[in-house]
Amino acid sequence: MGSVRPSRAPHAPPEAGAAGTKRIMNADTPLPTRCWAEIDLAALERNLKHIRAALPEDIRYVAVVKADAYGHGLHPTVARLMHSGADMFAVANIAEAAAVREIGPGWPILVLGPLLPEEMRFVLEYEVIATVSSLAEVQRLDTLGGRAGKPINVHLKIDTGMGRAGVWHTEAAGLYRAILAARHVRLRGIFTHFSSADSDPAFTEHQRQLFLDVLTDLGVFSRTDLMIHADNSAGLESFAPESPFNAVRVGLLQFGILPYENSLLARVEPEPVFSFHTRVGLVKTVPPGTGISYGRTFVTRRPTRLAVLTAGYGDGIPRCCGNRAQVLIRGRACPVLGRVTMDQTIVDVTDAPDVEVGDEVVLVGRQGDAEISIARFSRWADTIPWETLTSITKRVPRIYRTGLGL
Ligand SMILES: *Cc1c(COP(=O)(O)O)cnc(C)c1O
């Protein structure tokens, strides 16, 4: 699991340690690290506690840990969330559910996505909760449950305007009755998902109201055994404490990232959990008129001191960061010149004459008083923080800081 490191000098990168990827080492010297992500598990824990504290006490917290816990590494992330106050875990598929099950026997795990017919038997094997959106799914699960002689737990998903998984809301009542009638399927919860909680409050309100109307028609509010949930991170902004929803599903915010700029959720003071680092592999000066990198999309206009960084799109720096992004070296912002390549990225350090080979480079995170937020990095990359995090590649070891003083 996570390696633990003492604090260190700002320009001295950590050595390679236990990390998400297999490392090649000689007998006793770990290889130096060229590009790495640091994961602050103590910040993760504080984020969860702050989010919880902002919600009514009886609201259940479903920690969304799909896609390797948003690229943070499933095992260390889930293990920390398990003793930080999470009530349930949500994952994308059966393989992820199996991985969470291995970490914590007994924890409720909800699989959010539709299951392939041949995956369904694993719902029983790993004792997870399936999401159902159609009669065919209910029937298959019912058959399996009957054969195994034990009921299969499900949440009913209702599509209130996402156009993805879920039964269309006008057909929800029929599916609800079919689940109640299925002898080997047990309804444990009902949920919906917002399509535009980070961009369109009016549509989110519309979805919320549709969901409430369906639930009222079903008469489920008298049932105290059901989990009723709708809110993702952005949804929390308009979460009404007096609403009949009794659970939330939080992904991005627990990793310390606001779902959009100026979100009111800043009040929970989320702290970034993830930071992204590399190093200077070479420094050299080239004359004016030098084309930089593939395609010569940048041509120098002055004698230019270049630093060649030891990471590229093969590590998760998107190619379109070329000529747009900045990185931090010795606390100063240095612009990326030309295209990002697979293994190397070139930055201008003409105005940072003290930069040397071996210096630590921050791609996302803090260095001295300067900071590059993941939101800013994602804008340079023409994407969103969710995609940035899940695009950090296998080549990048995750180095864990536990905050436990170990
Ligand atoms: C990913 C996901 C979430 C979590 O969304 P965040 O915006 O990261 O909080 C919640 N619910 C469903 C159905 C999801 O797919």
Side-chain angles (χ1 to χ4, degrees), residues 253-397:
L253 190 63
Q254 70 197 350
F255 298 109
I257 303 164
L258 293 174
Y260 57 95
E261 234 178 329
N262 303 321
S263 164
L264 297 176
L265 292 168
R267 72 187 186 315
V268 304
E269 296 176 8
E271 295 171 59
V273 173
F274 166 93
S275 59
F276 193 22
H277 312 250
T278 184
R279 300 182 69 186
V280 174
L282 178 73
V283 176
K284 70 174 184 187
T285 301
V286 295
T290 305
I292 305 294
S293 189
Y294 291 122
R296 308 177 78 249
T297 58
F298 183 90
V299 178
T300 58
R301 275 187 237 120
R302 55 174 182 175
T304 303
R305 194 161 181 264
L306 305 175
V308 180
L309 314 183
T310 55
Y313 62 75
D315 302 278
I317 307 174
R319 185 167 174 271
C320 63
C321 281
N323 292 317
R324 296 175 74 174
Q326 298 178 354
V327 305
L328 302 177
I329 314 177
R330 297 193 178 235
R332 273 195 301 268
C334 307
V336 172
L337 302 183
R339 288 196 181 133
V340 173
T341 71
M342 189 186 289
D343 314 304
Q344 301 171 44
T345 300
I346 304 112
V347 300
D348 188 343
V349 293
T350 312
D351 302 324
D354 52 343
V355 167
E356 289 174 12
V357 167
D359 279 357
E360 176 175 341
V361 178
V362 168
L363 300 159
V364 174
R366 268 192 166 282
Q367 197 181 51
D369 294 331
E371 181 172 17
I372 295 175
S373 70
I374 194 153
R376 193 157 164 233
F377 181 88
S378 301
R379 277 194 298 278
W380 287 325
D382 265 333
T383 187
I384 52 175
W386 292 264
E387 191 181 39
T388 298
L389 287 168
T390 52
S391 303
I392 307 299
T393 69
K394 280 206 296 222
R395 185 159 76 181
V396 179

Side-chain angles (χ1 to χ4, degrees), residues 64 66 70 112 157 164 191-193 230-234 249-253 259 386:
V64 181
K66 61 201 183 193
Y70 289 46
L112 295 167
K157 180 151 193 198
R164 198 176 63 174
F191 72 108
T192 191
H193 190 49
D231 295 275
N232 57 355
S233 294
R249 302 185 307 273
V250 185
L252 197 74
L253 190 63
W386 292 264

Side-chain angles (χ1 to χ4, degrees), residues 72-155:
H72 290 70
L74 187 81
H75 194 288
T77 302
V78 166
R80 190 60 172 247
L81 291 171
M82 278 177 176
H83 60 85
S84 303
D87 297 306
M88 184 187 264
F89 290 92
V91 294
N93 58 45
I94 278 286
E96 293 179 350
V100 176
R101 172 58 67 236
E102 231 173 26
I103 303 165
W107 282 83
I109 303 168
L110 172 66
V111 179
L112 295 167
L115 293 166
L116 296 171
E118 62 267 38
E119 286 177 325
M120 284 183 173
R121 67 185 184 87
F122 297 100
V123 168
L124 275 170
E125 196 159 316
Y126 303 133
E127 294 180 34
V128 300
I129 305 162
T131 290
V132 293
S133 311
S134 72
L135 187 59
E137 290 168 316
V138 172
Q139 288 167 340
R140 281 190 208 105
L141 290 170
D142 193 32
T143 305
L144 272 172
R147 238 182 264 152
K150 46 180 178 178
I152 295 182
N153 292 322
V154 301
H155 282 203

Side-chain angles (χ1 to χ4, degrees), residues 141-188:
L141 290 170
D142 193 32
T143 305
L144 272 172
R147 238 182 264 152
K150 46 180 178 178
I152 295 182
N153 292 322
V154 301
H155 282 203
L156 166 62
K157 180 151 193 198
I158 299 177
D159 184 350
T160 54
M162 171 72 186
R164 198 176 63 174
V167 62
W168 187 248
H169 57 91
T170 55
E171 293 158 28
L175 190 55
Y176 174 73
R177 282 192 298 271
I179 296 170
L180 297 192
R183 291 187 39 213
H184 309 290
V185 173
R186 191 173 294 153
L187 185 69
R188 294 297 197 181

